[in-house]
Amino acid sequence: MKKLIPILFISFVGLLSSCSDEHNLPIYGNRETKEVMVDGKTVIDTIYATVPDFTFVNQDSFVVTQETVKGKIYIADFFFASCPTICPIMKKQMIRVYEKYKGNSNVLLLSHTIDPEHDTIALLKDYATRLGSDGKQWMFLTGDREAIYDMAAQGYYATAMPDSTEPGGYVHSGGFILVDTQRRVRGIYNGTSEDEVTHLMKDMDILLKENE
Amino acid sequence: MNKVLFLFLLVLLGSCSDSELIGMKQISHGAQIYKAQCANCHQDDGSGLAQLIPPLKHSDYLKNHSNELPCLIQNGLKGKITVNGSDYQLAMPAVNGLTKDELADVCLYVLQKFPETPIQLSEAELHSQVDTCFKAK
């Protein structure tokens, strides 16, 4: 027992510190290094992958671009209104996030439809209102079909494409993608899991502190 | 005479608890089907999703249309409906691939679980509704 006590103590300290440790979030994607001159000396600078520029339209027919998200952290996700499988669960979870950050002007939520032919602007407007969104902080985006799919794949490491073998006719990943103020992806969370979405909100708090 | 009565009672009792047992089995089977086929939209507790997907819990629509439940599941539902004073209009897709028994069981479960007072349908009634829907398809 005597021997055990120090071990217990150490593991307890370890436990405590791991709890209070506000870990840094990873930065997703390939990175490049570049030599730059600072004060006459050559230093290595790291260039992180960022979400590419985009142009979409929201449920109120407003154009939404990279300028809209400038200086804010945001979450991107993909859905379609007639989706019979995971979308309603994801939207239930997104409501939790929306409720928590409602009114915080540093946070945006962008839900992209992957079925732009069916999900018209009028339909998205109705969808948004019914979910309780004010349409400003939580926006529902549509646009050119290929541009949306490319954005999913290249910008957000997500899958979104038609697939006639899937219920509803589309396959898409249920991820919530967390993007920081410099448009770097900092986390991908399973939007159908209550626990992961709780984790996401903790990470959002960390990102928001990073910017203070 | 007494013996006959006794036997009769025994049979009655036996059959009663038997069918109750079957009912329990069907309902727990129905609960599994609900979880797999309905809960992602209507949620485990039947609360629905905001103003988008209507609740089943204490739904007046369900109460007033309990006879149509098998066909509603089998064929889906389109158009505007009003549930507990709110209107909904997102379409519910047909739930495909259920067997007749599965359809009956999930109906039993839903009608037991979500109305304010459980709605009892007789076996015969339920199965005739289920049959009608399968024929219509």
Side-chain angles (χ1 to χ4, degrees), chain A residues 81 84-85 88-89 92 126-127 130, chain B residues 40 43 48 50-52 87 89:
Chain A
T85 51
I89 314 177
K92 188 115 183 169
D126 183 60
Y127 196 87
R130 284 172 180 276
Chain B
N40 56 346
Q43 308 294 323
Q51 298 294 306
L52 208 53
D87 70 290
Q89 60 181 27

Side-chain angles (χ1 to χ4, degrees), chain A residues 9 12 16 56 79 92 101 116 119 123 125-126 155 158 162 164 183 196 198:
Chain A
F9 181 72
F12 188 66
L16 268 180
F56 295 126
F79 79 104
K92 188 115 183 169
Y101 295 97
D119 296 348
L123 189 144
K125 172 80 183 166
D126 183 60
S164 56
R183 270 203 278 154
E196 286 211 20
T198 303

Side-chain angles (χ1 to χ4, degrees), chain A residues 81-89 91-92 95 126-127 129-132, chain B residues 39-41 43 45 47-53 80 87-90 93:
Chain A
S82 59
C83 160
T85 51
I86 57 176
C87 307
I89 314 177
K91 289 293 165 274
K92 188 115 183 169
I95 289 175
D126 183 60
Y127 196 87
T129 312
R130 284 172 180 276
L131 283 176
Chain B
N40 56 346
C41 285
Q43 308 294 323
D45 61 359
S47 59
L49 176 63
Q51 298 294 306
L52 208 53
I53 295 173
K80 198 181 258 186
D87 70 290
Y88 297 86
Q89 60 181 27
L90 194 71

Side-chain angles (χ1 to χ4, degrees), chain B residues 21-34 105 109:
Chain B
L21 259 179
I22 291 171
M24 295 283 281
K25 234 178 161 173
Q26 287 175 325
I27 286 171
S28 73
H29 184 223
Q32 286 166 15
I33 297 165
Y34 180 82
D105 290 353
Y109 171 76

Side-chain angles (χ1 to χ4, degrees), chain B residues 6-113:
Chain B
F6 180 71
L7 265 179
F8 181 70
L9 263 177
L10 206 67
V11 169
L12 205 71
L13 268 177
S15 72
C16 180
S17 62
D18 239 26
S19 72
E20 236 165 47
L21 259 179
I22 291 171
M24 295 283 281
K25 234 178 161 173
Q26 287 175 325
I27 286 171
S28 73
H29 184 223
Q32 286 166 15
I33 297 165
Y34 180 82
K35 202 156 172 47
Q37 303 284 352
C38 322
N40 56 346
C41 285
H42 292 285
Q43 308 294 323
D44 280 335
D45 61 359
S47 59
L49 176 63
Q51 298 294 306
L52 208 53
I53 295 173
L56 302 182
K57 198 178 160 102
H58 299 178
S59 155
D60 57 355
Y61 185 95
L62 176 60
K63 192 169 125 199
N64 298 332
H65 296 76
S66 59
N67 285 329
E68 294 154 32
L69 184 58
C71 296
L72 188 160
I73 296 172
Q74 188 74 3
N75 304 328
L77 190 63
K78 269 205 188 77
K80 198 181 258 186
I81 60 170
T82 304
V83 180
N84 299 343
S86 298
D87 70 290
Y88 297 86
Q89 60 181 27
L90 194 71
M92 167 169 156
V95 177
N96 289 316
L98 295 181
T99 65
K100 279 186 187 180
D101 284 339
E102 286 171 336
L103 183 55
D105 290 353
V106 74
C107 289
L108 271 180
Y109 171 76
V110 165
L111 293 173
Q112 267 297 316
K113 167 99 180 172

